[in-house]
Amino acid sequence: MEKNKQKAILEAVLFTMGDAVETGRLADLIEADDEGVAGLIEELRKKYDKEESGLTINQVGDAYQMCAKPEMYDYLIDLTKTDHKFVLSDSALEALSIIAYKQPVTRLDVEKIRGVNSDHAINRLLEFDLIKELGRLDAPGKPILFGTTDQFLRSFGVKSLEDLPEISQVQMEEFKEQAEEEVSLRVDI
């Protein structure tokens, strides 16, 4: 298949689908391999950058999605008259961090790490489509397993979970010391 036709197909599919489309599905569609798809996507990205276009193509894990450039968000928000910023509380951010780094994880696992009830935080994360149910743990009570979504990756500007920053050993020691101090304060009360 001709290269220009392949690019046109990718462009049409990504525009029409709205959601991220897996690289393998795109490769099958245009009769190419994954590397070929990545190269064509990169050419389309350069085209959009040069043309002062309002669109771009983002990689989300092993998939691609056409979306508006971040500098266009305010115009889209004005058009739809909705608030474009949601604020996560510290407790929701803590829960999200735990889920992102330890997934799949149960609500009880999150609560053990945080030391407090996390129902509200997890419900907010579900509302904002930052986490999702991945299934159930094969254990008594069949607790729900949670993991992050593609929306999480887009919101935090990472391509995949492997791109999340690593926590250094020094930071881990500081966290342990803070946790031990908090536990000793609770015991003293």
Side-chain angles (χ1 to χ4, degrees):
M1 186 180 300
E2 182 196 348
K3 183 177 175 180
N4 286 334
K5 182 171 182 160
Q6 289 175 317
K7 284 196 299 190
I9 292 169
L10 290 174
E11 193 172 38
V13 168
L14 294 176
F15 176 79
T16 305
M17 294 302 291
D19 287 332
V21 181
E22 293 174 0
T23 305
R25 289 182 67 197
L26 294 172
D28 290 344
L29 198 59
I30 64 167
E31 301 168 1
D33 58 15
D34 290 0
E35 292 79 25
V37 169
L40 293 169
I41 293 289
E42 190 55 38
E43 287 181 31
L44 287 170
R45 278 187 186 144
K46 288 178 184 176
K47 170 187 163 187
Y48 292 129
D49 288 344
K50 285 181 186 175
E51 292 182 358
E52 297 294 323
S53 173
L55 300 175
T56 188
I57 299 175
N58 289 333
Q59 185 172 0
V60 181
D62 186 32
Y64 293 98
Q65 180 178 24
M66 183 176 284
C67 54
K69 288 181 179 175
E71 57 267 26
M72 298 294 128
Y73 290 173
D74 288 335
Y75 300 106
L76 296 170
I77 298 308
D78 286 346
L79 179 65
T80 60
K81 304 273 192 261
T82 60
D83 185 16
H84 68 289
K85 294 183 181 177
F86 55 85
V87 179
L88 293 176
S89 65
D90 289 344
S91 62
L93 281 172
E94 285 175 7
L96 182 58
S97 298
I98 293 165
I99 293 168
Y101 281 96
K102 295 222 167 250
Q103 63 185 299
V105 64
T106 66
R107 183 182 311 257
L108 183 60
D109 293 332
V110 173
E111 291 174 352
K112 281 181 186 176
I113 293 168
R114 291 190 63 230
V116 296
N117 184 301
S118 298
D119 288 343
H120 180 71
I122 288 177
N123 288 335
R124 291 297 282 170
L125 296 172
L126 286 166
E127 272 180 47
F128 291 138
D129 192 33
L130 295 173
I131 64 170
K132 64 182 176 184
E133 294 181 10
L134 298 177
R136 295 202 174 256
L137 184 64
D138 189 20
K142 301 275 187 200
I144 297 170
L145 292 167
F146 293 100
T148 56
T149 63
D150 288 346
Q151 180 61 37
F152 165 80
L153 296 174
R154 283 188 293 273
S155 296
F156 288 89
V158 293
K159 291 180 182 177
S160 69
L161 294 174
E162 288 77 34
D163 293 340
L164 289 174
E166 288 189 33
I167 300 174
S168 72
Q169 195 59 37
V170 173
Q171 287 174 313
M172 284 298 281
E173 292 303 319
E174 289 174 6
F175 293 152
K176 283 182 184 177
E177 288 173 18
Q178 289 174 356
E180 288 169 2
E181 284 176 28
E182 287 179 18
V183 168
S184 69
L185 288 174
R186 288 183 187 161
V187 172
D188 293 342
I189 294 177

